[in-house]
Amino acid sequence: LSLDGSATVQRIVRQDSLWNTHYRLPDLRLLRIRSEGITDNPRHAPPSSLEIETEDGVRVLDGEDPRSLLRTLNRHLAEEDPDLILSEWGDDWIFPGLEQLSRATGIPLALNRAPGRPMKGQKERSWFSYGRIHFRAGSFLLSGRWHIDRKNSFILGEAELDGLFEQARVTRIPVQTMARTSTGTGITSMQLEQAIREGILIPWRKSEPESFRSSLDLLGSDKGGMTFLPPPGFHESVAELDFASMYPAIMTRFNISPETVGCTCCPDNRAPETRHTLCTRRKGLVPRVLGPILSKRQSYKEQLAQLPENLRKDHPFNRRQKALKWLLVVSFGYLGYKNARFGRIEAHECVTAYSREILLAAKELSEERGFRLLHGIVDSLWLQKPGITDEECRELAREIGERTGIPLNLEGLYRWIQFFPSRARPSLSVPNRYLGVFRSGEIKVRGLEARRSDTPPLIRKIQKEVIDLLSNATTLEEYRLLLPRATELFKDRLSEIREGRVPLRELAIRRRLTKTPEKYGRSTLSGIVAHELAGRGIRLHAGETIRYIITSARDRDPLSRAKAYPLASPDATYDREKYAELLHRAIEPLLNPLDPRRIP
């Protein structure tokens, strides 16, 4: 920064690179604000007090006297002068409520550092993506300091503040905005910046639907990723190998970008099993954007690998590489999105075509080296071999990486892994539903109730207890020896449910509303609870999450089947048999590894 004699800025020079991994963050004064004793959305059951937390401790601001609350809050803001206000439900409830109190009492809020500046904000919205309805609360952005709502930020939940700051740096999106926007918007921002810097024209409003093609052409090109279904049951001596950021790496290595697909100057360079040609003479915009992200993430991972294993998980570098991972993950989806500024479905098809070819090549090389392919899904392989060793797996990963051009990492060696069958078709497994224990003792669970957000806390806790017990086994024989203890544990917990000894908070079920309350016609449990909350004057949106207790699942009166948890009285009862059924369903697959349909 250069100033002249009158303190006018003459020149600004950036002395740090976006791709530097050892940048220093300023020391931020932090103030946390939340509603006292509330874990759900406070709009569903408004509290009477606020908690503010600083380095000096926690203070409770009584909400019974609005004037006193506002004056006390303003005093603490002046004394602490925080750089960052980190809230829980700040966007959805706390800040809108404080604004209403300020207007009603005439006491101005001192949330902004800049006096007289109003809070900026955006309205809440619901949208549909990848088969699900999502909801994002409105935002309240401050001037002179940051406000970030933990409950309204995806990246903060995934990678904490280190990950948020990393994404804000590389995407050039302001921190408060990046906290509330999608990672897809982040990758789009990077593409737009690259295009502007290089003088590339950007479509103002883009909608590029898929061009007309024959059914045979579609069948040949639009196959998606490849999956090899694993045999259901218990398997020992298994290794898991994962391609590192496979789809972004394919885009970079094979120069896949909207403007490079369908190239007429390189007619012989075709994506496998498709008619799509790819340019070899000029590098595409998408690979130019993704290349530095891949390199920076790899640099973080290499530096983490030099640290002791117990320090890696909570290291800032780990959170930063996670943030970059999410940018890379969404880059593939946006490549095939017709409204994306730099999206084109044919480019999307080229990526999946190469991924299928690479997975087949990895399978063939593994089998040549004496491994059996147990399971494969898009970018991961599960290989089985008696007496499997870490060294031979790493050597195989190196060979596959050299042959395919995409780096492959050893995720770990399993003592054993179980693939669970489909409940509808027991002879087939579900590819993303399994339980495994690495030789290090680490447990990996996918698709079970313990991983689902809609599982009641008690069911999740009991399933985890059973898994922890069974994870002590190193072989199928040891697993079978532990089954009587696991069965006894299950029966004890089942008795607690049937005897009505479980607190309601342990039974609350989370569900995402697929529509607004008035659009629920049938008496589904979600619809019943949505109508109950709406009847209390609580405004709900499609995509919002509610919590409820099943009170009598088979009652003839639909209104008696479920109750909104925030509105439930302390003496409310629950449907014991229904919760017993949910527990049985969660534990059933674990207690017979060779026939998960039957509890012994």
Side-chain angles (χ1 to χ4, degrees):
L1 178 65
S2 299
L3 305 176
D4 62 13
S6 60
T8 302
V9 175
Q10 296 294 310
R11 189 166 61 106
I12 296 176
V13 179
R14 189 182 70 198
Q15 296 181 333
D16 188 15
S17 168
L18 296 177
W19 310 111
N20 176 21
T21 59
H22 285 85
Y23 58 85
R24 188 179 67 84
L25 293 170
D27 294 327
L28 298 173
R29 289 190 296 275
L30 182 65
L31 182 143
R32 301 176 189 271
I33 183 168
R34 54 184 171 265
S35 51
E36 185 189 20
I38 297 291
T39 55
D40 280 333
N41 190 328
R43 279 197 297 106
H44 299 179
S48 59
S49 303
L50 291 179
E51 285 183 359
I52 59 172
E53 180 183 351
T54 63
E55 291 181 355
D56 297 330
V58 178
R59 300 174 180 87
V60 177
L61 309 185
D62 189 356
E64 295 296 328
D65 183 355
R67 292 178 178 276
S68 174
L69 185 147
L70 292 175
R71 290 190 180 110
T72 306
L73 177 61
N74 284 341
R75 187 178 73 251
H76 284 304
L77 286 169
E79 291 172 355
E80 301 293 340
D81 191 25
D83 303 300
L84 168 62
I85 297 177
L86 194 61
S87 73
E88 293 182 17
W89 307 108
D91 285 336
D92 205 17
W93 187 78
I94 295 176
F95 280 29
L98 290 174
E99 264 202 335
Q100 288 180 7
L101 292 180
S102 177
R103 286 194 296 267
T105 60
I107 298 174
L109 280 168
L111 291 167
N112 285 323
R113 266 187 177 143
R117 294 285 295 274
M119 287 189 288
K120 300 176 183 178
Q122 295 179 335
K123 291 184 177 181
E124 70 277 352
R125 71 185 186 98
S126 300
W127 73 97
F128 186 83
S129 176
Y130 289 98
R132 298 180 70 185
I133 291 287
H134 301 265
F135 170 72
R136 179 171 290 124
S139 60
F140 279 79
L141 311 183
L142 303 182
S143 298
R145 60 170 56 103
W146 291 330
H147 165 231
I148 299 171
D149 183 354
R150 275 194 168 278
K151 301 295 184 179
N152 200 25
S153 176
F154 168 79
I155 191 57
L156 204 65
E158 292 292 324
E160 294 292 338
L161 287 171
D162 289 300
L164 170 60
F165 295 151
E166 178 69 29
Q167 282 198 354
R169 279 175 66 89
V170 299
T171 63
R172 288 86 162 175
I173 295 177
V175 169
Q176 292 185 96
T177 306
M178 190 68 236
R180 294 163 174 86
T181 195
S182 68
T183 44
T185 302
I187 202 72
T188 299
S189 173
M190 296 182 74
Q191 292 172 348
L192 294 176
E193 190 278 335
Q194 185 92 16
I196 291 170
R197 183 156 37 88
E198 297 180 359
I200 297 171
L201 289 175
I202 301 169
W204 176 44
R205 288 181 179 171
K206 180 176 178 294
S207 178
E208 188 175 346
E210 188 173 351
S211 57
F212 180 82
R213 287 185 283 174
S214 69
S215 298
L216 287 176
D217 192 13
L218 274 175
L219 285 172
S221 301
D222 196 10
K223 294 179 181 178
M226 180 171 285
T227 300
F228 295 95
L229 283 180
F234 194 98
H235 306 275
E236 299 176 34
S237 193
V238 176
E240 180 182 348
L241 280 70
D242 295 332
F243 285 97
S245 301
M246 183 190 224
Y247 282 173
I250 287 174
M251 291 182 234
T252 304
R253 183 178 187 278
F254 297 102
N255 195 31
I256 300 174
S257 192
E259 77 278 16
T260 63
V261 177
C263 167
T264 55
C265 62
C266 306
D268 298 327
N269 187 39
R270 294 182 180 273
E273 300 180 314
T274 73
R275 297 182 181 181
H276 306 321
T277 58
L278 290 166
C279 188
T280 58
R281 297 186 180 183
R282 64 186 189 280
K283 193 172 183 180
L285 175 74
V286 170
R288 294 201 300 279
V289 170
L290 295 181
I293 307 176
L294 286 165
S295 298
K296 189 175 188 183
R297 183 175 182 232
Q298 185 61 30
S299 177
Y300 278 137
K301 295 180 80 171
E302 288 172 358
Q303 292 176 69
L304 281 169
Q306 297 173 12
L307 298 174
E309 193 167 345
N310 62 322
L311 299 179
R312 295 175 192 172
K313 185 177 180 181
D314 295 323
H315 197 279
F317 283 5
N318 190 39
R319 293 190 280 269
R320 292 179 191 177
Q321 70 86 15
K322 279 185 182 178
L324 296 177
K325 172 190 172 182
W326 279 109
L327 289 172
L328 294 168
V329 165
V330 300
S331 65
F332 169 67
Y334 267 60
L335 191 65
Y337 179 39
K338 69 175 184 177
N339 292 332
R341 291 297 208 286
F342 301 99
R344 188 177 174 189
I345 191 63
E346 290 83 359
H348 194 273
E349 291 172 354
C350 288
V351 175
T352 55
Y354 276 110
S355 77
R356 295 191 299 270
E357 193 81 0
I358 288 167
L359 201 64
L360 280 172
K363 171 185 179 293
E364 291 168 1
L365 184 54
S366 301
E367 290 173 343
E368 288 174 12
R369 300 293 180 266
F371 293 85
R372 172 197 176 200
L373 179 69
L374 196 63
H375 179 31
I377 181 167
V378 182
D379 62 352
S380 299
L381 297 164
W382 285 261
L383 305 172
Q384 190 176 41
K385 187 178 182 182
I388 197 167
T389 66
D390 187 274
E391 291 75 21
E392 63 182 334
C393 289
R394 293 190 186 280
E395 177 60 24
L396 176 66
R398 186 191 62 76
E399 286 189 62
I400 293 174
E402 288 180 355
R403 179 177 293 190
T404 62
I406 307 296
L408 192 66
N409 299 320
L410 174 62
E411 179 74 8
L413 301 179
Y414 289 95
R415 299 175 188 165
W416 51 265
I417 187 169
Q418 282 195 75
F419 294 104
F420 299 107
S422 164
R423 289 189 171 102
R425 300 181 65 184
S427 61
L428 296 178
S429 62
V430 180
N432 57 352
R433 188 165 178 259
Y434 59 86
L435 164 67
V437 180
F438 290 105
R439 290 180 181 175
S440 64
E442 180 186 351
I443 301 169
K444 187 168 184 178
V445 180
R446 294 292 183 269
L448 297 182
E449 284 76 4
R451 290 273 299 185
R452 293 176 59 94
S453 61
D454 59 356
T455 303
L458 179 73
I459 308 296
R460 186 185 299 114
K461 177 184 174 184
I462 296 172
Q463 190 184 61
K464 189 175 184 305
E465 286 177 353
V466 172
I467 289 173
D468 287 344
L469 172 60
L470 296 173
S471 69
N472 292 308
T474 57
T475 63
L476 177 58
E477 196 58 40
E478 290 183 13
Y479 190 100
R480 284 174 168 155
L481 291 174
L482 289 171
L483 287 178
R485 286 173 57 191
T487 304
E488 196 62 33
L489 189 157
F490 159 69
K491 290 178 178 177
D492 288 345
R493 300 294 185 266
L494 190 62
S495 297
E496 292 176 12
I497 292 174
R498 286 189 165 141
E499 292 169 10
R501 294 188 283 123
V502 180
L504 291 185
R505 67 176 180 275
E506 293 292 312
L507 300 172
I509 296 173
R510 291 183 182 272
R511 282 287 192 275
R512 187 192 299 261
L513 295 179
T514 57
K515 45 196 161 188
T516 51
E518 65 273 11
K519 292 183 180 179
Y520 277 95
R522 294 167 51 195
S523 297
T524 62
L525 297 181
S526 294
I528 292 166
V529 175
H531 281 294
E532 180 188 7
L533 291 167
R536 295 290 189 96
I538 297 167
R539 190 164 51 97
L540 296 171
H541 309 81
E544 202 168 341
T545 299
I546 59 172
R547 287 213 295 170
Y548 61 83
I549 304 295
I550 302 175
T551 50
S552 183
R554 295 174 179 82
D555 200 294
R556 290 186 177 182
D557 178 10
L559 299 180
S560 300
R561 295 173 187 168
K563 182 78 175 174
Y565 172 68
L567 305 180
S569 60
D571 59 346
T573 58
Y574 60 86
D575 188 329
R576 301 178 187 184
E577 286 307 311
K578 183 61 179 179
Y579 281 101
E581 179 187 320
L582 292 176
L583 178 59
H584 193 282
R585 184 182 177 93
I587 302 302
E588 187 181 40
L590 303 173
L591 297 187
N592 197 320
L594 299 183
D595 184 4
R597 293 165 291 168
R598 179 176 60 86
I599 288 182

